[in-house]
Amino acid sequence: EARAYYDAANSLYEMYEEAAEYVIKNDLFDALDIPNTLIEQIKNSWKYERENHLYGRFDLSGGIDGLPIKLIEFNADTPTLLVESTLVQLMLLEDNCLTHNTQFNNIYENVSRKFKKISESKKGAFSRLLFACVNGNDEEKQTVKLLEKMAKDVGLVTEFSYLEDVDLQREYEFFFKLYPWEDMEDFQAEEGVSMLNPAYTLLYQSKGMLAILYELFPTSPYLLETDFCEIKGKYVKKTMFGREGANIEIHENGKLLNARDGVYGDYKSIYQRYTQFSKDGDGVYYQAGVFYSDGACGLGFRRGSEILDNASQFIGHII
């Protein structure tokens, strides 16, 4: 099962790369709800910063209980659950006197190596990196601080700042911000500063890519039928951008079965074929999250209601 998650994430990432090339070549930014002010940055980052995608998280249904693995979405720009998937799972293993090799969890090692690889591609082994998040969100600060620790572990020079106080006039080679690209329409990176994750990851983050992927790879075993127009049968309606289950609706034969309100209703929508999540004996739903950093590198699970929201719980695993 762990190997199947690994293979799925690696295959899906290759498909996303082909789909991004297709979107850029055919100027499909509007279909993905990409702000016009970010299009040139996306094109430039695709050309000059292709290797700077630090990490992302594939959300998948199935993979256990005999259910097939299906892509739900790709959190490629601002993925959460890094602290839980990287550290908390290991603590749970230690609490149960189990060893690291009984878990699919190489996230810390992979992301650290990715930092070093990115650094060496531009500035040798001693690049300077600025890490930032908004003030007042402890979860995001913990995530950014963990990433900063990964960079320090491979010898890079780092500094942390709240996003409100960022000054890119100082001498940095790389800038990581845990903040959605779609909300940075007026942002322009300083010359000589490379972004982690780059602007093109906004293409991956857009759920419109799910429809593009299905158009390009309709026979993939990992993809659900997805379209920009309403489809027949049971489907899930999602906004192009959104987090924590907000603005998600489940429909069947014209009837609304389940829904979550949210603040993302102004974005365009996509329609994705409904798929069955794994459930336990209490009727609680489970979704797998596979982290990707130069390859699939770790697994964790969220559990909760049929539409997983900010009340869902993180669950570790043992192989």
Side-chain angles (χ1 to χ4, degrees):
E1 289 171 336
R3 172 63 64 177
Y5 281 126
Y6 175 87
D7 291 340
N10 287 332
S11 296
L12 285 165
Y13 196 85
E14 291 179 1
M15 286 188 265
Y16 264 90
E17 289 185 306
E18 289 190 43
E21 184 75 44
Y22 178 80
V23 167
I24 293 171
K25 182 178 179 180
N26 293 281
D27 197 25
L28 299 177
F29 300 100
D30 183 64
L32 271 59
D33 233 353
I34 303 297
N36 290 333
T37 54
L38 292 175
I39 291 175
E40 285 307 311
Q41 286 196 67
I42 289 171
K43 290 180 178 179
N44 288 334
S45 68
W46 184 252
K47 186 174 181 180
Y48 299 111
E49 297 180 334
R50 282 288 295 278
E51 299 304 316
N52 287 13
H53 188 194
L54 181 63
Y55 80 116
R57 190 193 77 235
F58 287 101
D59 288 342
L60 308 167
S61 69
I64 53 177
D65 296 337
L67 293 175
I69 295 173
K70 298 293 183 181
L71 173 65
I72 302 301
E73 59 192 55
F74 186 24
N75 294 277
D77 177 20
T78 56
T80 55
L81 299 181
L82 183 70
V83 174
E84 295 89 339
S85 300
T86 305
L87 301 181
V88 174
Q89 292 200 104
L90 293 180
M91 294 167 61
L92 292 171
L93 285 182
E94 292 169 1
D95 287 346
N96 288 277
C97 300
L98 296 167
T99 60
H100 190 171
N101 63 3
T102 59
Q103 193 171 83
F104 175 22
N105 182 3
N106 302 309
I107 303 169
Y108 200 102
E109 297 86 345
N110 272 48
V111 175
S112 295
R113 283 196 299 268
K114 184 66 174 181
F115 270 122
K116 187 172 184 179
K117 180 179 177 180
I118 291 172
S119 171
E120 290 176 342
S121 71
K122 181 176 181 181
K123 191 69 177 180
F126 304 103
S127 295
R128 290 158 292 184
L129 292 88
L130 177 63
F131 292 82
C133 66
V134 295
N135 196 351
N137 190 316
D138 290 339
E139 180 184 358
E140 291 185 358
K141 184 176 180 180
Q142 289 176 353
T143 299
V144 172
K145 282 294 191 180
L146 175 57
L147 288 165
E148 185 182 10
K149 176 68 164 56
M150 293 173 176
K152 284 182 177 179
D153 281 356
V154 291
L156 305 184
V157 178
T158 71
E159 186 172 329
F160 173 83
S161 172
Y162 288 115
L163 199 58
E164 299 89 332
D165 304 323
V166 162
D167 179 9
L168 291 180
Q169 300 290 339
R170 298 182 62 183
E171 295 295 322
Y172 301 106
E173 280 75 48
F174 298 97
F175 176 38
F176 176 88
K177 87 289 175 287
L178 193 63
Y179 194 78
W181 267 111
E182 69 267 23
D183 293 335
M184 299 181 69
E185 295 185 41
D186 299 324
F187 174 79
Q188 289 289 335
E190 293 292 322
E191 185 176 353
V193 178
S194 295
M195 300 299 299
L196 311 174
N197 294 311
Y200 76 76
T201 57
L202 184 56
L203 299 181
Y204 294 176
Q205 187 79 24
S206 171
K207 296 180 185 66
M209 283 291 273
L210 298 169
I212 300 293
L213 287 170
Y214 188 74
E215 177 185 344
L216 296 177
F217 309 102
T219 61
S220 169
Y222 303 122
L223 299 179
L224 295 164
E225 178 190 0
T226 309
D227 206 325
F228 296 107
C229 301
E230 190 172 345
I231 60 178
K232 295 180 180 180
K234 193 172 184 180
Y235 63 83
V236 180
K237 180 183 178 182
K238 303 178 179 181
T239 53
M240 295 291 178
F241 300 103
R243 288 162 177 81
E244 297 182 330
N247 298 98
I248 287 181
E249 299 176 0
I250 299 175
H251 294 255
E252 185 172 18
N253 299 324
K255 182 180 179 181
L256 178 63
L257 303 180
N258 199 350
R260 290 287 187 277
D261 292 331
V263 298
Y264 304 101
D266 290 337
Y267 289 113
K268 298 176 182 178
S269 297
I270 57 100
Y271 303 83
Q272 183 183 52
R273 177 66 58 206
Y274 182 88
T275 185
Q276 179 66 55
F277 283 93
S278 300
K279 288 198 294 185
D280 62 23
D282 296 322
V284 179
Y285 293 83
Y286 289 74
Q287 176 183 273
V290 179
F291 277 86
Y292 186 98
S293 181
D294 255 4
C297 56
L299 170 69
F301 291 87
R302 283 197 301 161
R303 73 176 183 183
S305 57
E306 186 177 30
I307 298 176
L308 292 165
D309 53 24
N310 58 3
S312 64
Q313 300 173 311
F314 176 82
I315 299 297
H317 72 281
I318 296 169
I319 300 172

